[in-house]
Amino acid sequence: MPQPFVQSGLETWLAAAGFPGCEPRQLPGDVSPRRYTRLIGADGGSAILATYPPEIRAACARFLRTTALLEPAGVPVPRVLASSCDEGWMLVEDLGPETLAEWGRGRPWSELQPYFERALELVERIGRIPVESVEGLNPRLGGELLRKELAQTWDLFLEPKGLTGGEPLTRALGAALDAICANLDAETPITCHRDFMVRNLMPVSDGLVVLDHQDLRLGPPAYDLASLLNDTLFPPPEMEEALLAGASFDPVSYHRAAAQRTLKAIGTYASFALRGADRHLPLVPATLGRCLAHLARVPESAPLVSDLAEVWSSVLIC
């Protein structure tokens, strides 16, 4: 059988979990060493096997811990059917083949809006999880980490493509991004999913299920909303404003978080591409355009936007 079924004891473990003699179908992934396999049972039932190699095995235990935090908070997450984190195996329910990003591609925004409204409710439920239960689970999404993420974008994308401008603009942009991170760091942190985006949401008959939640941590209050509205499916301005009006976050804080998040995402896409996974590169122009729009809405960077728009014009889609 193909990987991961050559691992000693896995077939026996799967049989004990109710999936003897199942048919494996490898699922695509990015650059994480974690792998997912859809298992089709003899009775036609299915489940998803996640395998964690030794270097990321701690994420398996964190997934169980964050499941235990999210479920009581009213945040739907995949049911864990069986787990052996010592071996790096976890079996979870199969929620279907398409995330909200895939299902929603090409659909009218009138059809997508209820899902975004539901997602906003889940953002607020996550944010109400007591900080003391999350503190220490993962490093806080504070100034140091926010700056580190932007440094990757600077080094892998902005500088190599000549998008920092001449020396005065380069200095001013660096100072503005540093100030944005400092102001986000100064906000009282709340519980955040960390990657609350449409690629981590599964549409189901009664709403949404949240995936990939093992990185739950403390972060800026508007960070998850910024992730939701600025990744893959980009809501039109009127819908973005309506969702923001219905949220309990300061608009300037939201635009700061969205500016950081979109610029961080571009660095992630560039890093993936360097490692051979370039399927997110088509998102770069629109994501950079979103970043520019958010930079225009915060005082730290608004004076630079006209010059940035000119320097970025060959890449961005506004």
Side-chain angles (χ1 to χ4, degrees), residues 15 52 58 61 69 85 90-91 93 99 104 112 138 146 158 170 175 181 189 203-204 235 274 309-310:
Y52 298 79
L69 290 170
C85 290
M90 184 180 295
L91 199 63
E93 67 173 319
T99 66
L112 291 172
N138 284 295
L146 293 169
L158 294 180
T170 296
C181 292
V204 294
L274 287 173
E310 183 176 349

Side-chain angles (χ1 to χ4, degrees), residues 222-238:
Y223 190 86
D224 277 353
L225 181 62
S227 302
L228 172 67
L229 300 184
N230 295 277
D231 186 281
T232 311
L233 299 177
F234 304 106
E238 62 274 13

Side-chain angles (χ1 to χ4, degrees), residues 266-281:
I266 291 168
T268 301
Y269 302 154
S271 174
F272 284 177
L274 287 173
R275 288 178 277 175
D278 61 0
R279 65 189 180 94
H280 293 117
L281 289 183

Side-chain angles (χ1 to χ4, degrees), residues 105-141:
R105 189 178 298 118
R107 293 180 184 268
W109 281 104
S110 58
E111 191 173 345
L112 291 172
Q113 184 167 349
Y115 289 93
F116 275 78
E117 291 171 348
R118 173 60 174 163
L120 175 57
E121 293 175 11
L122 297 179
V123 164
E124 296 193 330
R125 290 183 185 183
I126 292 170
R128 289 195 291 268
I129 294 174
V131 296
E132 60 269 18
S133 64
V134 178
E135 199 165 21
L137 185 62
N138 284 295
R140 180 190 164 198
L141 191 59

Side-chain angles (χ1 to χ4, degrees), residues 33-313:
R34 181 179 51 196
R35 292 292 177 261
Y36 293 103
T37 306
R38 175 170 282 113
L39 306 179
I40 309 298
D43 61 356
S46 64
I48 302 297
L49 172 68
T51 59
Y52 298 79
E55 64 269 26
I56 62 163
R57 199 151 288 172
C60 178
R62 288 204 312 275
F63 190 94
L64 296 177
R65 290 177 63 190
T66 54
T67 294
L69 290 170
L70 291 164
E71 287 181 333
V75 180
V77 295
R79 287 185 299 114
V80 177
L81 306 177
S83 65
S84 177
C85 290
D86 288 342
E87 299 290 344
W89 304 327
M90 184 180 295
L91 199 63
V92 299
E93 67 173 319
D94 186 357
L95 295 164
E98 292 185 316
T99 66
L100 183 59
E102 295 154 338
W103 179 86
R105 189 178 298 118
R107 293 180 184 268
W109 281 104
S110 58
E111 191 173 345
L112 291 172
Q113 184 167 349
Y115 289 93
F116 275 78
E117 291 171 348
R118 173 60 174 163
L120 175 57
E121 293 175 11
L122 297 179
V123 164
E124 296 193 330
R125 290 183 185 183
I126 292 170
R128 289 195 291 268
I129 294 174
V131 296
E132 60 269 18
S133 64
V134 178
E135 199 165 21
L137 185 62
N138 284 295
R140 180 190 164 198
L141 191 59
E144 181 180 356
L145 182 51
L146 293 169
R147 291 184 181 95
K148 182 179 179 181
E149 291 174 341
L150 294 189
Q152 174 174 261
T153 304
W154 192 282
D155 294 342
L156 298 185
F157 185 82
L158 294 180
E159 271 199 339
K161 292 188 175 294
L163 299 179
T164 63
E167 186 177 346
L169 182 57
T170 296
R171 288 199 309 269
L173 177 59
L177 296 177
D178 186 71
I180 287 171
C181 292
N183 283 319
L184 289 170
D185 181 71
E187 297 180 19
T188 301
I190 66 170
T191 301
C192 296
H193 175 283
R194 174 65 174 87
D195 280 316
F196 195 89
M197 53 190 178
V198 292
R199 287 178 281 143
N200 280 332
L201 298 174
M202 292 293 296
V204 294
S205 58
D206 57 350
L208 292 169
V209 176
V210 179
L211 308 180
D212 212 20
H213 50 72
Q214 68 280 340
D215 287 338
L216 198 75
R217 68 187 65 208
L218 300 184
Y223 190 86
D224 277 353
L225 181 62
S227 302
L228 172 67
L229 300 184
N230 295 277
D231 186 281
T232 311
L233 299 177
F234 304 106
E238 62 274 13
M239 182 174 161
E240 181 182 23
E241 291 299 325
L243 289 166
L244 186 56
S248 55
F249 306 123
D250 173 60
V252 175
S253 296
Y254 162 75
H255 290 296
R256 284 186 180 120
Q260 193 280 340
R261 173 72 188 191
T262 48
L263 203 54
K264 174 262 182 190
I266 291 168
T268 301
Y269 302 154
S271 174
F272 284 177
L274 287 173
R275 288 178 277 175
D278 61 0
R279 65 189 180 94
H280 293 117
L281 289 183
L283 291 171
V284 167
T287 303
L288 195 63
R290 299 284 292 187
C291 178
L292 191 69
H294 292 300
L295 290 172
R297 302 287 294 272
V298 298
E300 301 92 327
S301 52
L304 310 178
V305 165
S306 177
D307 290 337
L308 280 176
E310 183 176 349
V311 173
W312 292 0
S313 62

